[in-house]
Amino acid sequence: MKTIKFLAFVGLLLSLTLLTSCKDDDPMILPEPADMYTLEDQMGRPAINTVFVTSAEKDDFNQTIPSEQGAAFATKFQNQLLALNAGYTTNALGMDAATFTGALATDVLTVATSGTTTFFDGTNVLTGRRLADDVISVELLLIFGGPNGMENPGLTDDHVDANDKAFLTTFPYLASPH
Amino acid sequence: MKKKNLMAACALMLMAAAGIVWAADHIDAPAVSSTSADITDYYAFQSPDNNDNMVFVCNVQGLLDPAATQAASFDENVLIEFNIDNDGDNVEDLVIQAIVKDGELSVYGPVAPTVTGVQSEIVTTGTVSTAAVTPYGSAPVIGTENGMKVFAGPRDDPFFMDFAQFGEILAGNATGFNDPGSDTFAGTNVLSIVVEVPKSQLGTAATLGTWVEAKRKL
């Protein structure tokens, strides 16, 4: 019993000494440098990298921050648009090829902080993106549909208009997995 | 896992046949395709539940069939960062940073970033919201903090498109879409991070510029 008490006493002394020496004598322990994380993939609007960037440059596009995308990619986007639709003049938003691709090359989703948020609902344009928005048909229409949306009728709607499961009305809104 | 590989292989064959990929952002580029940092989709919308809140959704690791979903997990070295620009210069003024460690989601912000651009560090000085990652087959586990709600776990892929037919069109095997079309993404899942935040925490701009990034720990 005594031995144990003695050992405990020695242990206490030791730890006190250690604590004190930590405070007074040891060099200050610097906080660990924060972990850094580097960009691998990014996305603003749907299907931008997949549609408007050539295979060879898809990684480059993911590595280019939005504030630098316009200068680097606007002309390339225009070439890709005309490769997809050589007959492109303007679209239903009245944008010629340079205006349309210039707007798309900076891959940022604009979101209204009041009122309806939707990719396109017939009235509101690019005020957000809801789960149910048929974004692909909107993009097909703007790429292939011409100024009044009537050109290339076989290409302007994929006729998949909704998700295969209903969304929830409460958080987290996405449907449960299959 | 085999089924996932098969689906990925089918998708890759479609890509090759088409010469172009067209999905939302699924398998968008060689360096990230079918990796744990592959963003499949990004959504930002006013909460259907509360007009004063905004919802941000980032999905990763697409084309998961049910078996693959059960085996899938978030990469603990990948930071999902929602970026918010308040002044139209396309540089982030606020970030919401989400990362999973030991099965728990932590969401930092919205908070001003300490660095902008290609690299990020986690900013721990703002709100920190946490929630256990919801297991496959369980009811959603929702974390709440400072008016925010956060979630991480497998969900149905909300994206829909007749991707297969588009591939046929681009390959010259078809001249147009079918009516009705067939949703290539039906029956597949993704790993989702969902964050709901009071608009009052996102600045005063009438329009936000937003995008999401997957960033890997160096």
Side-chain angles (χ1 to χ4, degrees):
Chain A
M1 201 54 191
K2 263 190 186 168
T3 319
I4 291 175
K5 273 190 181 163
F6 177 72
L7 281 174
F9 180 70
V10 171
L12 190 67
L13 266 179
L14 263 175
S15 54
L16 277 173
T17 315
L18 281 172
L19 275 173
T20 315
S21 64
C22 275
K23 269 186 194 160
D24 294 347
D25 304 329
D26 281 7
M28 227 175 67
I29 298 166
L30 294 170
E32 278 183 50
D35 292 330
M36 297 302 293
Y37 295 81
T38 194
L39 185 58
E40 287 205 347
D41 197 2
Q42 63 175 314
M43 176 179 183
R45 304 186 198 94
I48 297 301
N49 195 10
T50 50
V51 176
F52 289 102
V53 182
T54 58
S55 299
E57 293 188 308
K58 289 184 189 300
D59 287 327
D60 287 343
F61 188 73
N62 273 338
Q63 293 293 316
T64 307
I65 57 176
S67 57
E68 296 170 0
Q69 285 170 339
F73 285 94
T75 303
K76 292 169 178 176
F77 274 39
Q78 186 171 345
N79 295 339
Q80 189 74 355
L81 172 66
L82 296 174
L84 279 169
N85 179 7
Y88 186 94
T89 53
T90 64
N91 63 19
L93 297 176
M95 294 173 147
D96 65 21
T99 308
F100 185 39
T101 51
L104 292 177
T106 299
D107 189 18
V108 168
L109 180 69
T110 46
V111 184
T113 51
S114 65
T116 306
T117 46
T118 179
F119 201 67
F120 179 65
D121 65 358
T123 307
N124 302 286
V125 182
L126 279 177
T127 58
R129 181 186 177 194
R130 293 177 299 190
L131 297 172
D133 286 339
D134 189 358
V135 294
I136 290 299
S137 291
V138 171
E139 293 186 350
L140 289 168
L141 189 74
L142 293 177
I143 291 167
F144 294 109
N148 54 15
M150 302 298 280
E151 293 174 11
N152 303 306
L155 297 174
T156 52
D157 188 347
D158 70 345
H159 302 292
V160 177
D161 304 328
N163 191 37
D164 58 325
K165 285 189 96 170
F167 299 119
L168 313 181
T169 54
T170 55
F171 192 89
Y173 310 110
L174 283 74
S176 60
H178 296 273
Chain B
M1 206 52 199
K2 267 189 183 164
K3 276 188 190 164
K4 184 193 173 186
N5 286 340
L6 183 65
M7 293 193 72
C10 288
L12 286 168
M13 280 167 62
L14 269 175
M15 285 164 59
I20 186 173
V21 197
W22 195 344
D25 201 70
H26 309 64
I27 48 177
D28 64 307
V32 293
S33 287
S34 304
T35 73
S36 55
D38 188 14
I39 296 168
T40 66
D41 252 306
Y42 167 57
Y43 301 82
F45 52 91
Q46 177 174 284
S47 166
D49 212 18
N50 182 344
N51 288 350
D52 293 332
N53 287 357
M54 198 71 82
V55 180
F56 298 95
V57 178
C58 179
N59 295 333
V60 296
Q61 303 187 38
L63 299 167
L64 301 170
D65 69 7
T69 307
Q70 194 141 27
S73 62
F74 288 97
D75 189 329
E76 302 199 350
N77 290 314
V78 173
L79 176 70
I80 299 297
E81 185 173 79
F82 298 99
N83 293 265
I84 297 156
D85 168 33
N86 291 122
D87 54 16
D89 63 359
N90 300 312
V91 176
E92 59 272 32
D93 299 303
L94 292 170
V95 291
I96 300 171
Q97 299 172 316
I99 193 160
V100 170
K101 295 282 183 204
D102 300 324
E104 183 173 75
L105 168 72
S106 293
V107 177
Y108 300 86
V111 65
T114 50
V115 285
T116 63
V118 171
Q119 292 196 4
S120 288
E121 63 181 351
I122 294 176
V123 186
T124 56
T125 51
T127 303
V128 186
S129 316
T130 61
V133 173
T134 299
Y136 181 57
S138 298
V141 178
I142 301 169
T144 57
E145 189 72 41
N146 196 23
M148 295 175 63
K149 293 178 185 172
V150 300
F151 166 88
R155 302 310 278 173
D156 160 63
D157 188 344
F159 185 65
F160 49 90
M161 178 191 178
D162 194 339
F163 176 69
Q165 185 65 14
F166 191 70
E168 292 295 307
I169 294 167
L170 289 175
N173 299 327
T175 56
F177 287 101
N178 298 317
D179 189 5
S182 171
D183 180 7
T184 311
F185 297 85
T188 69
N189 300 320
V190 290
L191 297 185
S192 299
I193 289 177
V194 187
V195 176
E196 179 160 336
V197 55
K199 291 176 180 176
S200 59
Q201 297 178 25
L202 299 175
T204 56
T207 299
L208 309 173
T210 72
W211 63 100
V212 71
E213 297 171 330
K215 289 175 159 170
R216 186 174 295 277
K217 189 173 165 181
L218 286 170

